[in-house]
Amino acid sequence: MSVLVLHRNPLAAFPYRRWLSGDAPGLDDRTPYPGDLVVLAARDKIESAGEQLPGPLDHDFTHLDLFGTLDDETVPARALALAERHRITHVIAHHEADVALAARLRERLGLDGPRSADIRPFRDKALMKKLARQAGIEVAPHTVPGSAQEARDFAARHGFPVVLKHREGYNSIGLRIVADPDELEARLADAYRDGPRDDLLIEAYVPGRMCHVDGLVVDGRTVAAWPSQYQYDLASFGVDAGPRVDLTLDVADPLTPRLLTLVERTLAALKPEGSRLRTHAFHAEVFHTPDDRLVLCEIAGRSGGAKIREVFEILFGIQLAVQVTRAEAGLPLPAVEGAVDERGLLRPRCMAGQVLTMKRPGLVRSLPSVPDEEWVRGFWLFAEEGQVIPPAGGSADFLTATVGSAPTRAECERRLRALGARIVAETKIVPVGGEEA
């Protein structure tokens, strides 16, 4: 057994060899994973997290290739060559941008796991919304505008604001909420300067608060899922200097069962009979409108970003990335099997949430101290004092991240907001050669 990993994240939080250890044939939980572990990693994601690039002796992989970015056009051919050289048996990819390449590699090599047809409904937002709507799930009015005029016509029918996004986008990169015709014209002039295209989506703006549901499916059955609610606008990552709070919903919240039911229906709509996507995480985003409707925004067949995996671990006692890594490597999931109840489900043990701050351009003069509150379950800094940093390039480009817990959502919110205010007050970033920003 040998594994190839497409890795578009910081490295420190992904100890793959330890995650793969134990519970393979002939191994116990103290025996290291003995197979080849080949990793293709993104240098930009490692450096943007403030981590040092690993040298030849700084990792336990069989082979590590570092690329400036995994969008490098040489990555697919290199991945295939390494897969053939190391006789790879399983391909792992946690990031939305890499699941399609992982599927193509499985197809080319004849390996187990989801193929392109299984992944496409979760990557192609137009197909996703079509399948959801056919299943009776409400989605925003939308179209794929082949030309600027088609986008103008859509805006004329549905009014402003409208939302422009990439059909296979992620992390809110390229997403624009367009307020009026003048802004639309400026966006369209740039988007269609090279002529017609079919990789954009325009949709009507849906008012309301964005909820998300995160979960784990094992062998085609959801064993753990829970809803949360963003207390901020995802698309504001480039201008938001304050704390961004995200909270789980209480068990007794009337939205909780509605959101869980909606997501189960969505998963069924996107995974027809015969789908090879059997064990996976998911991250669904759903609008809760002022008139109490639930409107599906989108759903991904992988775990959520930010520190959602860590929040999930607080809730259920299992780490999504660990379980998905093991599943994609063909290994059993004893942590899940030992935790489910008689109905095969995991139940949340408390409420939890995260508070995030985004990178801002400039020289980092000071960063917050590590919180010492007992309810804080994790704290991360993604820059160093004295470092010059760029602005946030997406909704996952954080300066700090903190996860915490509480018995109730209300108490969790109180704790996280107070801590977020302190983190902002202790952070000082100044323009290069200028005064405080």
Side-chain angles (χ1 to χ4, degrees):
M1 183 168 59
S2 55
V3 172
L4 183 144
V5 181
L6 303 172
H7 185 80
R8 193 186 295 247
N9 284 295
L11 273 173
F14 291 81
Y16 287 110
R17 191 170 292 277
R18 177 163 60 83
W19 289 353
L20 294 168
S21 297
D23 299 297
L27 301 182
D28 61 31
D29 60 9
R30 296 177 301 279
T31 305
Y33 172 71
D36 281 3
L37 180 55
V38 178
V39 178
L40 281 71
R43 184 183 294 114
D44 57 343
K45 297 302 181 183
I46 298 170
E47 291 178 329
S48 68
E51 296 181 12
Q52 294 293 318
L53 293 175
L57 302 179
D58 298 330
H59 62 80
D60 58 2
F61 309 134
T62 307
H63 181 90
L64 172 65
D65 264 7
L66 290 174
F67 293 83
T69 168
L70 284 194
D71 294 321
D72 189 311
E73 62 183 12
T74 66
V75 167
R78 181 60 172 162
L80 181 60
L82 287 169
E84 292 174 337
R85 179 188 307 168
H86 291 270
R87 298 183 180 179
I88 293 298
T89 58
H90 297 84
V91 180
I92 294 169
H94 287 291
H95 197 281
E96 183 80 353
D98 302 318
V99 294
L101 174 57
R104 294 197 302 272
L105 289 169
R106 296 185 193 106
E107 290 169 352
R108 178 71 178 268
L109 298 165
L111 304 180
D112 289 338
R115 306 293 179 86
S116 296
D118 309 311
I119 295 297
R120 193 169 298 117
F122 292 87
R123 290 290 294 121
D124 181 343
K125 301 181 196 304
L127 175 59
M128 177 192 303
K129 292 172 187 290
K130 176 183 177 181
L131 294 173
R133 188 166 53 189
Q134 288 175 347
I137 298 164
E138 185 176 359
V139 299
H142 63 279
T143 192
V144 176
S147 66
Q149 187 56 50
E150 289 180 20
R152 294 186 194 101
D153 293 343
F154 179 91
R157 289 194 304 273
H158 295 281
F160 289 91
V162 294
V163 180
L164 282 174
K165 61 176 72 172
H166 289 290
R167 189 169 170 174
E168 296 187 357
Y170 55 87
N171 288 351
S172 299
I173 297 171
L175 184 150
R176 298 291 183 269
I177 299 174
V178 181
D180 54 51
D182 289 342
E183 183 182 356
L184 180 62
E185 284 304 314
R187 299 291 182 195
L188 296 179
D190 180 61
Y192 292 93
R193 64 180 181 274
D194 296 324
R197 56 192 296 183
D198 63 359
D199 61 338
L200 293 180
L201 195 74
I202 185 170
E203 60 185 30
Y205 180 80
V206 179
R209 184 61 58 82
M210 177 77 84
C211 302
H212 61 97
V213 181
D214 299 275
L216 177 66
V217 176
V218 176
D219 197 23
R221 185 175 184 275
T222 301
V223 299
W226 205 254
S228 300
Q229 192 176 66
Y230 298 117
Q231 306 301 300
Y232 59 89
D233 177 7
L234 280 174
S236 68
F237 62 84
V239 296
D240 192 349
R244 293 158 71 89
V245 175
D246 178 27
L247 300 161
T248 55
L249 298 186
D250 282 317
V251 174
D253 192 309
L255 272 182
T256 295
R258 292 174 61 194
L259 285 163
L260 293 174
T261 299
L262 177 71
V263 169
E264 280 299 297
R265 291 173 58 206
T266 303
L267 289 171
L270 271 57
K271 295 198 300 180
E273 189 74 25
S275 172
R276 294 180 179 86
L277 191 60
R278 300 288 298 165
T279 298
H280 63 95
F282 63 82
H283 173 71
E285 294 180 340
V286 182
F287 298 105
H288 180 221
T289 68
D291 58 353
D292 199 33
R293 291 177 295 120
L294 295 181
V295 180
L296 177 70
C297 176
E298 55 194 59
I299 183 170
R302 45 79 183 166
S303 58
K307 291 301 174 182
I308 286 173
R309 289 183 288 263
E310 287 75 12
V311 169
F312 196 90
E313 185 173 12
I314 294 171
L315 287 178
F316 295 110
I318 60 171
Q319 226 281 12
L320 280 173
V322 177
Q323 306 312 314
V324 173
T325 296
R326 294 183 61 83
E328 292 192 348
L331 294 173
L333 308 180
V336 175
E337 295 161 4
V340 295
D341 63 18
E342 65 279 0
R343 292 168 295 178
L345 299 172
L346 284 83
R347 296 296 182 185
R349 304 179 296 184
C350 60
M351 292 293 98
Q354 56 184 327
V355 58
L356 311 164
T357 61
M358 306 306 298
K359 287 183 177 175
R360 292 177 285 132
L363 172 65
V364 180
R365 284 280 178 80
S366 63
L367 289 168
S369 57
V370 178
D372 59 5
E373 289 86 343
E374 55 84 22
W375 55 266
V376 172
R377 306 288 288 274
F379 177 72
W380 296 263
L381 287 171
F382 299 101
E384 298 178 350
E385 292 181 1
Q387 183 179 6
V388 175
I389 59 174
S395 61
D397 205 356
F398 311 117
L399 181 65
T400 70
T402 312
V403 296
S405 63
T408 66
R409 169 183 166 157
E411 176 62 13
C412 195
E413 180 169 11
R414 185 194 68 77
R415 290 173 175 180
L416 289 174
R417 289 199 182 280
L419 179 58
R422 191 174 85 213
I423 287 171
V424 170
E426 292 179 359
T427 300
K428 184 177 182 181
I429 301 175
V430 299
V432 177
E435 299 300 320
E436 182 174 356

PDB file of all heavy atoms in Angstrom, residues 376-397:
ATOM      1  N   VAL A 376     -10.464  27.825  25.585  1.00  0.00           N
ATOM      2  CA  VAL A 376      -9.814  27.954  24.275  1.00  0.00           C
ATOM      3  C   VAL A 376      -9.167  26.623  23.930  1.00  0.00           C
ATOM      4  O   VAL A 376      -8.315  26.123  24.661  1.00  0.00           O
ATOM      5  CB  VAL A 376      -8.782  29.093  24.272  1.00  0.00           C
ATOM      6  CG1 VAL A 376      -7.990  29.087  22.965  1.00  0.00           C
ATOM      7  CG2 VAL A 376      -9.476  30.437  24.458  1.00  0.00           C
ATOM      8  N   ARG A 377      -9.550  26.062  22.796  1.00  0.00           N
ATOM      9  CA  ARG A 377      -9.100  24.721  22.430  1.00  0.00           C
ATOM     10  C   ARG A 377      -8.041  24.730  21.329  1.00  0.00           C
ATOM     11  O   ARG A 377      -7.539  23.678  20.944  1.00  0.00           O
ATOM     12  CB  ARG A 377     -10.300  23.880  21.984  1.00  0.00           C
ATOM     13  CG  ARG A 377     -11.430  23.842  23.002  1.00  0.00           C
ATOM     14  CD  ARG A 377     -11.081  23.003  24.199  1.00  0.00           C
ATOM     15  NE  ARG A 377     -11.088  21.602  23.822  1.00  0.00           N
ATOM     16  CZ  ARG A 377     -12.177  20.835  23.819  1.00  0.00           C
ATOM     17  NH1 ARG A 377     -13.354  21.348  24.167  1.00  0.00           N
ATOM     18  NH2 ARG A 377     -12.105  19.556  23.473  1.00  0.00           N
ATOM     19  N   GLY A 378      -7.723  25.915  20.836  1.00  0.00           N
ATOM     20  CA  GLY A 378      -6.678  26.020  19.833  1.00  0.00           C
ATOM     21  C   GLY A 378      -6.486  27.457  19.411  1.00  0.00           C
ATOM     22  O   GLY A 378      -7.455  28.229  19.342  1.00  0.00           O
ATOM     23  N   PHE A 379      -5.239  27.835  19.148  1.00  0.00           N
ATOM     24  CA  PHE A 379      -4.927  29.203  18.714  1.00  0.00           C
ATOM     25  C   PHE A 379      -3.785  29.130  17.718  1.00  0.00           C
ATOM     26  O   PHE A 379      -2.797  28.422  17.941  1.00  0.00           O
ATOM     27  CB  PHE A 379      -4.532  30.061  19.921  1.00  0.00           C
ATOM     28  CG  PHE A 379      -4.120  31.466  19.554  1.00  0.00           C
ATOM     29  CD1 PHE A 379      -5.059  32.394  19.144  1.00  0.00           C
ATOM     30  CD2 PHE A 379      -2.784  31.847  19.610  1.00  0.00           C
ATOM     31  CE1 PHE A 379      -4.682  33.689  18.806  1.00  0.00           C
ATOM     32  CE2 PHE A 379      -2.403  33.130  19.271  1.00  0.00           C
ATOM     33  CZ  PHE A 379      -3.362  34.053  18.866  1.00  0.00           C
ATOM     34  N   TRP A 380      -3.922  29.860  16.602  1.00  0.00           N
ATOM     35  CA  TRP A 380      -2.938  29.827  15.529  1.00  0.00           C
ATOM     36  C   TRP A 380      -2.613  31.240  15.073  1.00  0.00           C
ATOM     37  O   TRP A 380      -3.504  32.089  14.921  1.00  0.00           O
ATOM     38  CB  TRP A 380      -3.476  29.042  14.329  1.00  0.00           C
ATOM     39  CG  TRP A 380      -3.737  27.603  14.603  1.00  0.00           C
ATOM     40  CD1 TRP A 380      -2.912  26.543  14.338  1.00  0.00           C
ATOM     41  CD2 TRP A 380      -4.917  27.042  15.191  1.00  0.00           C
ATOM     42  NE1 TRP A 380      -3.509  25.364  14.731  1.00  0.00           N
ATOM     43  CE2 TRP A 380      -4.732  25.641  15.248  1.00  0.00           C
ATOM     44  CE3 TRP A 380      -6.119  27.600  15.664  1.00  0.00           C
ATOM     45  CZ2 TRP A 380      -5.699  24.784  15.768  1.00  0.00           C
ATOM     46  CZ3 TRP A 380      -7.081  26.753  16.194  1.00  0.00           C
ATOM     47  CH2 TRP A 380      -6.872  25.352  16.243  1.00  0.00           C
ATOM     48  N   LEU A 381      -1.309  31.493  14.850  1.00  0.00           N
ATOM     49  CA  LEU A 381      -0.837  32.731  14.239  1.00  0.00           C
ATOM     50  C   LEU A 381      -0.282  32.385  12.863  1.00  0.00           C
ATOM     51  O   LEU A 381       0.459  31.412  12.713  1.00  0.00           O
ATOM     52  CB  LEU A 381       0.265  33.367  15.086  1.00  0.00           C
ATOM     53  CG  LEU A 381      -0.153  34.025  16.406  1.00  0.00           C
ATOM     54  CD1 LEU A 381       1.087  34.405  17.200  1.00  0.00           C
ATOM     55  CD2 LEU A 381      -1.006  35.263  16.148  1.00  0.00           C
ATOM     56  N   PHE A 382      -0.604  33.202  11.867  1.00  0.00           N
ATOM     57  CA  PHE A 382      -0.152  32.944  10.502  1.00  0.00           C
ATOM     58  C   PHE A 382       0.746  34.060   9.978  1.00  0.00           C
ATOM     59  O   PHE A 382       0.798  34.327   8.783  1.00  0.00           O
ATOM     60  CB  PHE A 382      -1.366  32.741   9.587  1.00  0.00           C
ATOM     61  CG  PHE A 382      -2.205  31.564   9.998  1.00  0.00           C
ATOM     62  CD1 PHE A 382      -3.384  31.748  10.706  1.00  0.00           C
ATOM     63  CD2 PHE A 382      -1.797  30.278   9.714  1.00  0.00           C
ATOM     64  CE1 PHE A 382      -4.157  30.668  11.096  1.00  0.00           C
ATOM     65  CE2 PHE A 382      -2.553  29.180  10.097  1.00  0.00           C
ATOM     66  CZ  PHE A 382      -3.741  29.375  10.792  1.00  0.00           C
ATOM     67  N   ALA A 383       1.462  34.693  10.884  1.00  0.00           N
ATOM     68  CA  ALA A 383       2.461  35.698  10.534  1.00  0.00           C
ATOM     69  C   ALA A 383       3.408  35.846  11.723  1.00  0.00           C
ATOM     70  O   ALA A 383       3.140  35.312  12.805  1.00  0.00           O
ATOM     71  CB  ALA A 383       1.806  37.038  10.186  1.00  0.00           C
ATOM     72  N   GLU A 384       4.487  36.561  11.517  1.00  0.00           N
ATOM     73  CA  GLU A 384       5.454  36.808  12.574  1.00  0.00           C
ATOM     74  C   GLU A 384       5.684  38.304  12.706  1.00  0.00           C
ATOM     75  O   GLU A 384       5.566  39.056  11.723  1.00  0.00           O
ATOM     76  CB  GLU A 384       6.782  36.115  12.263  1.00  0.00           C
ATOM     77  CG  GLU A 384       6.698  34.609  12.173  1.00  0.00           C
ATOM     78  CD  GLU A 384       8.031  33.983  11.809  1.00  0.00           C
ATOM     79  OE1 GLU A 384       8.964  34.744  11.443  1.00  0.00           O
ATOM     80  OE2 GLU A 384       8.147  32.746  11.882  1.00  0.00           O
ATOM     81  N   GLU A 385       6.005  38.751  13.901  1.00  0.00           N
ATOM     82  CA  GLU A 385       6.340  40.155  14.096  1.00  0.00           C
ATOM     83  C   GLU A 385       7.578  40.499  13.275  1.00  0.00           C
ATOM     84  O   GLU A 385       8.535  39.726  13.216  1.00  0.00           O
ATOM     85  CB  GLU A 385       6.564  40.440  15.579  1.00  0.00           C
ATOM     86  CG  GLU A 385       5.282  40.334  16.389  1.00  0.00           C
ATOM     87  CD  GLU A 385       5.478  40.647  17.861  1.00  0.00           C
ATOM     88  OE1 GLU A 385       6.629  40.975  18.247  1.00  0.00           O
ATOM     89  OE2 GLU A 385       4.495  40.568  18.628  1.00  0.00           O
ATOM     90  N   GLY A 386       7.546  41.642  12.620  1.00  0.00           N
ATOM     91  CA  GLY A 386       8.625  42.054  11.742  1.00  0.00           C
ATOM     92  C   GLY A 386       8.427  41.638  10.295  1.00  0.00           C
ATOM     93  O   GLY A 386       9.198  42.044   9.419  1.00  0.00           O
ATOM     94  N   GLN A 387       7.416  40.840  10.034  1.00  0.00           N
ATOM     95  CA  GLN A 387       7.153  40.361   8.678  1.00  0.00           C
ATOM     96  C   GLN A 387       6.274  41.355   7.921  1.00  0.00           C
ATOM     97  O   GLN A 387       5.379  41.977   8.485  1.00  0.00           O
ATOM     98  CB  GLN A 387       6.444  39.003   8.749  1.00  0.00           C
ATOM     99  CG  GLN A 387       6.171  38.339   7.425  1.00  0.00           C
ATOM    100  CD  GLN A 387       5.475  36.988   7.605  1.00  0.00           C
ATOM    101  OE1 GLN A 387       5.104  36.600   8.710  1.00  0.00           O
ATOM    102  NE2 GLN A 387       5.286  36.282   6.504  1.00  0.00           N
ATOM    103  N   VAL A 388       6.541  41.512   6.642  1.00  0.00           N
ATOM    104  CA  VAL A 388       5.675  42.308   5.767  1.00  0.00           C
ATOM    105  C   VAL A 388       4.728  41.332   5.071  1.00  0.00           C
ATOM    106  O   VAL A 388       5.166  40.382   4.426  1.00  0.00           O
ATOM    107  CB  VAL A 388       6.485  43.104   4.730  1.00  0.00           C
ATOM    108  CG1 VAL A 388       5.554  43.829   3.768  1.00  0.00           C
ATOM    109  CG2 VAL A 388       7.405  44.104   5.438  1.00  0.00           C
ATOM    110  N   ILE A 389       3.428  41.564   5.214  1.00  0.00           N
ATOM    111  CA  ILE A 389       2.451  40.628   4.681  1.00  0.00           C
ATOM    112  C   ILE A 389       1.561  41.328   3.652  1.00  0.00           C
ATOM    113  O   ILE A 389       1.328  42.535   3.716  1.00  0.00           O
ATOM    114  CB  ILE A 389       1.584  40.007   5.790  1.00  0.00           C
ATOM    115  CG1 ILE A 389       0.822  41.096   6.573  1.00  0.00           C
ATOM    116  CG2 ILE A 389       2.442  39.170   6.725  1.00  0.00           C
ATOM    117  CD1 ILE A 389      -0.159  40.528   7.584  1.00  0.00           C
ATOM    118  N   PRO A 390       1.024  40.559   2.692  1.00  0.00           N
ATOM    119  CA  PRO A 390       0.100  41.111   1.698  1.00  0.00           C
ATOM    120  C   PRO A 390      -1.322  41.085   2.249  1.00  0.00           C
ATOM    121  O   PRO A 390      -1.576  40.511   3.326  1.00  0.00           O
ATOM    122  CB  PRO A 390       0.245  40.127   0.529  1.00  0.00           C
ATOM    123  CG  PRO A 390       0.529  38.821   1.204  1.00  0.00           C
ATOM    124  CD  PRO A 390       1.364  39.155   2.420  1.00  0.00           C
ATOM    125  N   PRO A 391      -2.266  41.672   1.527  1.00  0.00           N
ATOM    126  CA  PRO A 391      -3.666  41.581   1.954  1.00  0.00           C
ATOM    127  C   PRO A 391      -4.190  40.164   1.785  1.00  0.00           C
ATOM    128  O   PRO A 391      -3.587  39.335   1.088  1.00  0.00           O
ATOM    129  CB  PRO A 391      -4.385  42.555   1.008  1.00  0.00           C
ATOM    130  CG  PRO A 391      -3.528  42.592  -0.210  1.00  0.00           C
ATOM    131  CD  PRO A 391      -2.117  42.456   0.287  1.00  0.00           C
ATOM    132  N   ALA A 392      -5.309  39.886   2.424  1.00  0.00           N
ATOM    133  CA  ALA A 392      -5.938  38.578   2.283  1.00  0.00           C
ATOM    134  C   ALA A 392      -6.319  38.347   0.826  1.00  0.00           C
ATOM    135  O   ALA A 392      -6.951  39.193   0.196  1.00  0.00           O
ATOM    136  CB  ALA A 392      -7.169  38.492   3.172  1.00  0.00           C
ATOM    137  N   GLY A 393      -5.948  37.178   0.313  1.00  0.00           N
ATOM    138  CA  GLY A 393      -6.259  36.841  -1.067  1.00  0.00           C
ATOM    139  C   GLY A 393      -7.510  36.002  -1.213  1.00  0.00           C
ATOM    140  O   GLY A 393      -7.943  35.707  -2.328  1.00  0.00           O
ATOM    141  N   GLY A 394      -8.099  35.596  -0.091  1.00  0.00           N
ATOM    142  CA  GLY A 394      -9.304  34.777  -0.108  1.00  0.00           C
ATOM    143  C   GLY A 394      -9.853  34.677   1.293  1.00  0.00           C
ATOM    144  O   GLY A 394      -9.237  35.150   2.264  1.00  0.00           O
ATOM    145  N   SER A 395     -11.001  34.039   1.439  1.00  0.00           N
ATOM    146  CA  SER A 395     -11.659  33.976   2.742  1.00  0.00           C
ATOM    147  C   SER A 395     -10.944  33.050   3.719  1.00  0.00           C
ATOM    148  O   SER A 395     -11.341  32.952   4.887  1.00  0.00           O
ATOM    149  CB  SER A 395     -13.115  33.528   2.579  1.00  0.00           C
ATOM    150  OG  SER A 395     -13.184  32.238   2.008  1.00  0.00           O
ATOM    151  N   ALA A 396      -9.896  32.345   3.272  1.00  0.00           N
ATOM    152  CA  ALA A 396      -9.131  31.465   4.157  1.00  0.00           C
ATOM    153  C   ALA A 396      -7.733  31.996   4.427  1.00  0.00           C
ATOM    154  O   ALA A 396      -6.871  31.262   4.920  1.00  0.00           O
ATOM    155  CB  ALA A 396      -9.045  30.058   3.557  1.00  0.00           C
ATOM    156  N   ASP A 397      -7.491  33.271   4.129  1.00  0.00           N
ATOM    157  CA  ASP A 397      -6.155  33.862   4.305  1.00  0.00           C
ATOM    158  C   ASP A 397      -6.122  34.601   5.648  1.00  0.00           C
ATOM    159  O   ASP A 397      -6.241  35.819   5.723  1.00  0.00           O
ATOM    160  CB  ASP A 397      -5.856  34.805   3.139  1.00  0.00           C
ATOM    161  CG  ASP A 397      -4.366  34.971   2.909  1.00  0.00           C
ATOM    162  OD1 ASP A 397      -3.584  34.411   3.692  1.00  0.00           O
ATOM    163  OD2 ASP A 397      -3.984  35.654   1.955  1.00  0.00           O
TER     164      ASP A 397
END
